[in-house]
Amino acid sequence: MTNTLLRGRVLTFHREPARPDDSDAYSYIEDGAVLMRDGLIAASGNYQDVAVDAGDAEIVDHRPYLLMAGFIDPHIHFPQVQIVASWGSQLLDWLNGYTFPAEAEYANAQHARSMAGRFCNLLADHGTTTAVAFCSVHAASTEALFSEAEDRNMRMIAGKTMMDRNAPDAVLDTAQSGYDDSKALIERWHGTGRALCAITPRFAITSTPEQLEMTGALAGEHPECYIQTHLSENHDEIAFTAKLYPDARDYLDVYEGYGLLGPRTLLGHAIHLKDREIGALADSGAHPVFCPTSNLFLGSGLFDDAGLRAKSIQSGIATDIGAGTSYSMLQTLNEGYKILQLQDQKLHTLRAFHWITRGNADVLGLVDKIGTLDAGTEADIVVVNARATPAMDVRMDRAESLSDELFVVQMMGDDRAIAQTYIAGVAQKRDMS
Ligand code: GUN
Ligand code: ZN
């Protein structure tokens, strides 16, 4: 039995803060503690109270750092680790020029396994303890990622990308093989340890109607699985989709028509939406996923967070590596804040930190397992140092409140601000206690 007591300043959310002064939405404890037992959080709260139940637990003193729930990245591409920061193009040229050639290499199981190790290290180093990942079209890439995550007891949601047209042969499946491979992966991995499966048609452009038909059938057979794809990221993409699916009312209608929309559906980007699509999104309970660094990098456009929220649509926020430029959910919030500023919208820092923890957990329907420091949930925890760099240190001398401190971390922080990451109770950063 492993038993560890973390001491530090504890911050956890109970719901999304409605306003900057909505202090009922979270608990913040100056001298706090989290007791981790066998991969779960046994207790959290005031240090003195939690210590009473700690028995012979090893004590790790993280003061004056903050203890928070691990970050959740609900849209990331595992086989794009080596094309982050590839120069010059917008979405469709970027896919053809950089992405498909890189993903073709994941037919090689050894390459996939070696990259999976580096990918999981990067996630943990940046404080991300759960990811929802697109793998390549090859089942071996999904096997590699799930195996690697299993070895670390890391919660991983992933799927083999399905794509049967408009890409090189090396990254194509067929409607039948896409269905068969995805089904086999679901049967092997869904609910094994901390693994969960996402049915993963890449986007409308790279799937024939036959493939989306079979994808819809698979989703009907496996309502326990997630569905992830892309929606309305780029104007050329939207125009090409309209040509390929001339009978669809709009982009979203393609997915709607094949039964792919529901509360477990994650739609990357969702930038250029029509009113009908917004209404249909709200009715379906599907979740757009805001990918700020990616949207800026590819010049895709500005996500209308306030417009979607006004319709009670609940969005996730994610890195979208490798169009995204940082693994850090802090940097994701930084760029997200600026995208909202450009539209005269606001992202308050308490809502921001809720979003990358409990908010994304809620989008995934997993608040009972991840996203908070509540007793009984999984012990995925980050330790945050707001003075991690000289620039943060000098700025922090003037920080007067928790919100001030968090905003410094949000705007200036990255993996250096993550002093430690615990996954299922086990410290991941090798050079620190
Ligand atoms: N649309 C379809 N595939 C992709 C991808 O890999 N990245 C991004 N950003 N958009 C996509
Ligand atoms: Zn994506």
Side-chain angles (χ1 to χ4, degrees):
M1 184 153 105
T2 58
N3 218 355
T4 311
L5 182 69
L6 308 181
R7 188 171 188 177
R9 295 157 57 226
V10 164
L11 175 65
T12 186
F13 292 91
H14 312 306
R15 58 172 166 77
E16 183 184 85
R19 301 169 311 278
D21 63 354
D22 183 7
S23 53
D24 290 347
Y26 61 90
S27 294
Y28 171 62
I29 304 168
E30 280 282 343
D31 189 7
V34 181
L35 178 63
M36 308 190 297
R37 188 173 288 150
D38 295 335
L40 298 178
I41 294 175
S44 64
N46 291 309
Y47 174 75
Q48 297 302 343
D49 298 340
V50 177
V52 168
D53 295 328
D56 59 354
E58 178 198 356
I59 298 177
V60 182
D61 192 349
H62 283 299
R63 289 176 299 170
Y65 299 160
L66 278 165
L67 306 179
M68 281 186 223
F71 304 149
I72 299 167
D73 185 348
H75 185 115
I76 186 165
H77 295 260
F78 152 53
Q80 295 179 12
V81 286
Q82 292 189 303
I83 57 155
V84 179
S86 293
W87 187 83
S89 38
Q90 292 212 347
L91 176 63
L92 299 181
D93 291 338
W94 176 83
L95 286 172
N96 288 313
Y98 297 114
T99 315
F100 296 151
E103 294 196 8
E105 295 174 32
Y106 287 71
N108 178 330
Q110 242 175 345
H111 176 69
R113 186 64 200 237
S114 126
M115 286 300 154
R118 294 170 79 177
F119 178 73
C120 291
N121 283 345
L122 282 163
L123 293 177
D125 284 348
H126 286 78
T128 296
T129 51
T130 293
V132 186
F134 286 68
C135 300
S136 75
V137 71
H138 319 96
S141 73
T142 313
E143 280 289 342
L145 183 57
F146 275 139
S147 299
E148 186 66 41
E150 182 178 52
D151 288 352
R152 300 158 188 249
N153 212 359
M154 182 175 195
R155 188 163 278 290
M156 186 64 68
I157 302 172
K160 177 207 108 69
T161 295
M162 290 185 274
M163 46 195 295
D164 67 343
R165 66 168 164 181
N166 290 321
D169 287 348
V171 288
L172 291 184
D173 55 12
T174 65
Q176 187 66 50
S177 73
Y179 171 94
D180 291 343
D181 287 352
S182 300
K183 190 152 184 98
L185 285 163
I186 291 166
E187 282 163 3
R188 162 72 182 87
W189 285 105
H190 189 83
T192 301
R194 302 185 76 195
L196 295 169
C197 287
I199 295 168
T200 308
R202 179 172 215 118
F203 66 159
I205 289 176
T206 47
S207 285
T208 59
E210 294 69 37
Q211 177 155 76
L212 290 187
E213 182 83 45
M214 293 192 78
T215 305
L218 185 63
E221 291 157 23
H222 293 283
E224 72 280 13
C225 291
Y226 296 91
I227 298 170
Q228 60 177 345
T229 187
H230 296 87
L231 174 72
S232 292
E233 177 177 3
N234 164 289
H235 292 297
D236 291 345
E237 171 210 17
I238 295 166
F240 192 14
T241 301
K243 255 198 198 143
L244 293 170
Y245 288 92
D247 297 334
R249 287 171 289 181
D250 44 48
Y251 196 156
L252 188 71
D253 195 38
V254 175
Y255 300 138
E256 221 175 323
Y258 292 105
L260 296 175
L261 292 192
R264 295 174 85 76
T265 304
L266 306 171
L267 299 158
H269 309 294
I271 298 170
H272 309 287
L273 299 177
K274 303 199 174 89
D275 287 348
R276 194 209 74 81
E277 292 175 292
I278 294 172
L281 266 179
D283 292 344
S284 70
H287 302 282
V289 183
F290 179 23
C291 303
T293 70
S294 166
N295 296 163
L296 293 173
F297 180 72
L298 291 179
S300 301
L302 307 180
F303 182 84
D304 182 10
D305 178 57
L308 296 173
R309 288 167 63 80
K311 303 287 181 196
S312 301
I313 293 168
Q314 195 186 6
S315 303
I317 184 166
T319 63
D320 191 33
I321 287 287
T325 51
S326 173
Y327 288 85
S328 171
M329 291 302 293
L330 303 173
Q331 280 306 296
T332 300
L333 290 176
N334 167 18
E335 301 299 325
Y337 177 86
K338 295 169 188 168
I339 286 179
L340 299 203
Q341 282 283 58
L342 283 167
Q343 303 169 91
D344 202 17
Q345 299 180 13
K346 288 281 172 267
L347 176 55
H348 187 269
T349 196
L350 287 166
R351 174 158 87 84
F353 276 89
H354 171 269
W355 206 354
I356 62 172
T357 55
R358 193 183 190 285
N360 277 339
D362 205 21
V363 160
L364 299 173
L366 292 176
V367 171
D368 59 330
K369 296 191 168 60
I370 54 174
T372 71
L373 298 179
D374 294 352
T377 65
E378 296 166 359
D380 291 348
I381 297 166
V382 289
V383 182
V384 176
N385 174 11
R387 293 182 181 269
T389 68
M392 292 171 81
D393 190 45
V394 71
R395 168 64 182 87
M396 276 298 295
D397 285 350
R398 287 284 278 272
E400 288 174 354
S401 63
L402 174 66
S403 288
D404 253 12
E405 175 180 0
L406 291 174
F407 196 53
V408 170
V409 174
Q410 169 183 339
M411 301 308 289
M412 302 175 78
D414 52 29
D415 52 323
R416 293 167 294 181
I418 306 301
Q420 185 54 279
T421 303
Y422 293 90
I423 290 183
V426 177
Q428 304 291 310
K429 287 211 174 190
R430 291 151 292 275
D431 55 355
M432 210 228 118
S433 65

